[in-house]
Structure formats: C-alpha cells, structure tokens
Amino acid sequence: LDSTNKKSFRRRPFNIENINCVSIGRVDEDKGFHNIFAIADQVPENVNIHVVGAYDGRFGDIKSFDRIVYHGQLSKFDLFHFMANCDYLLNASVVFETFGITNIEALRLGMPIIGQKVGTREEFISHTENGFLYSSGGLLNAIRYISTYSDYKRLSENAYNSFKKYETSNWRRNQVKIYQDILFDRQN
C-alpha cells in the first residue's frame, strides 16, 4: 500500500444531496448484509448504498430493495475507480475480522468508514475523526447521521491522513523496529 498512486483514483466532489456508501464483500450474514437490507426502505433519500461482491441469492432479489444498488463482482482496478466515486465505506460485518484490507484501501482514498464496533475496526476507525463507529443495531442511526453530517471534508482528510501509518515505508520501518527490539531483548 502506497499513497503515491492515490492521484490516479480521483475522488468525485462530495455532495450532501447525493451521498454514496459502498459495502464490499461476500453478500452474506457474516458481512452484515442482512442488516443493510433490513433498513433499506428507511435510508434517507439523499443516501444510496452500493453493494459490490459475490451473491448467491440467499436474500432474494436484492435489486428490489429501495436505496440499494447491486453491482456484482468487480476487478480490483474497477473496484478502486468505483470506490473513488463513493463517499463512505460501509463495513457492516457482524463478526470479528482480522485487519480488513478494504478498510485501509478506503482510507487511502480519503474515504471515511462507517463500521460496527466489532473486532479490529476500533483500531483504525476513530469515531468522528476518520469515520463513524456504531453498536449492534445502530446501522440506521449511523446512516441517518451521515445524511446531514456537515464536516465531510475534514473527515475525508483525516481518513487519508490515518492511512499514512499503513504505507509500505512505515510498515518496513515498524518491522525493522520489531526485529531490533527482539534482538536487543535476546542480548540482554
């Protein structure tokens, strides 16, 4: 991951009258899609939820849900371009997940994350700084909140700035420090 390629994925200007959230991943219960579909008819009119990922039909015709746009699976390149045209990453997963590379990719684009307080999300989503965290059952309230949130520019800048600690150069530096600490501890 490197921020030098960020400019090749230009973000569309934010428009509070047309907010686009994207949820990416296998369309199933673990990823929280059942919660997204359950609130679809209650999502504010200025918010659209885009779904990208493999779908096996378990929720019926998801194209019939109000405020939901299903895009199927996209190539990595097409996904980055698509993400650049969205405003928020919606991580509705209800299970403990590891690092979450999609979250870091969103931060790289300056895209704030809306995520449920599960697993590692609290480690890289700082509530009201680079995204929003919600408790179980709070997805609709989080979406309603962003529908009127007025400081998107600051949130987006903070999202991008929080990505920097995940850049390749910082990872290398941190890895070297870990190994140095291990070697130093063995010598003492």
Side-chain angles (χ1 to χ4, degrees):
L1 295 172
D2 193 344
S3 64
T4 57
N5 295 327
K6 179 182 183 251
K7 291 185 179 183
S8 66
F9 297 101
R10 296 195 187 274
R11 299 279 315 276
R12 75 175 180 91
F14 179 73
N15 177 357
I16 197 158
E17 294 175 9
N18 184 25
I19 298 171
N20 289 294
C21 299
V22 60
S23 192
I24 301 167
R26 186 182 63 255
V27 181
D28 66 18
E29 290 86 0
D30 286 351
K31 296 290 185 180
F33 283 98
H34 61 296
N35 292 327
I36 293 171
F37 301 145
I39 64 163
D41 293 339
Q42 302 168 62
V43 171
E45 288 188 19
N46 64 325
V47 177
N48 298 298
I49 299 174
H50 299 270
V51 174
V52 176
Y55 177 55
D56 64 7
R58 71 181 72 194
F59 299 109
D61 181 10
I62 60 177
K63 292 181 179 181
S64 69
F65 289 104
D66 288 345
R67 320 288 336 137
I68 304 285
V69 182
Y70 178 61
H71 299 274
Q73 291 182 280
L74 300 176
S75 71
K76 192 72 158 169
F77 182 81
D78 289 341
L79 179 60
F80 274 129
H81 279 282
F82 185 80
M83 289 173 71
N85 286 295
C86 291
D87 304 301
Y88 290 92
L89 175 67
L90 178 55
N91 183 333
S93 179
V94 297
V95 296
F96 183 93
E97 294 191 28
T98 57
F99 187 64
I101 196 72
T102 303
N103 296 300
I104 304 307
E105 291 167 342
L107 295 175
R108 174 180 172 237
L109 291 169
M111 180 186 298
I113 304 169
I114 303 166
Q116 185 169 334
K117 292 181 187 179
V118 176
T120 60
R121 273 165 249 149
E122 290 182 274
E123 294 179 30
F124 48 84
I125 303 172
S126 179
H127 187 67
T128 71
E129 291 301 315
N130 66 355
F132 300 101
L133 290 163
Y134 65 92
S135 298
S136 178
L139 176 59
L140 181 58
N141 287 337
I143 291 174
R144 285 178 174 155
Y145 185 76
I146 64 129
S147 74
T148 61
Y149 187 75
S150 62
D151 200 7
Y152 181 84
K153 182 177 180 184
R154 179 191 64 82
L155 201 65
S156 177
E157 288 170 357
N158 288 344
Y160 178 70
N161 288 333
S162 65
F163 159 75
K164 291 179 181 178
K165 66 182 169 187
Y166 301 105
E167 287 183 297
T168 305
S169 59
N170 287 331
W171 276 101
R172 285 187 195 125
R173 194 174 317 118
N174 290 337
Q175 285 293 113
V176 168
K177 184 175 179 346
I178 290 168
Y179 291 128
Q180 287 173 337
D181 290 348
I182 291 170
L183 291 173
F184 180 76
D185 284 345
R186 286 188 179 164
Q187 291 174 356
N188 290 330

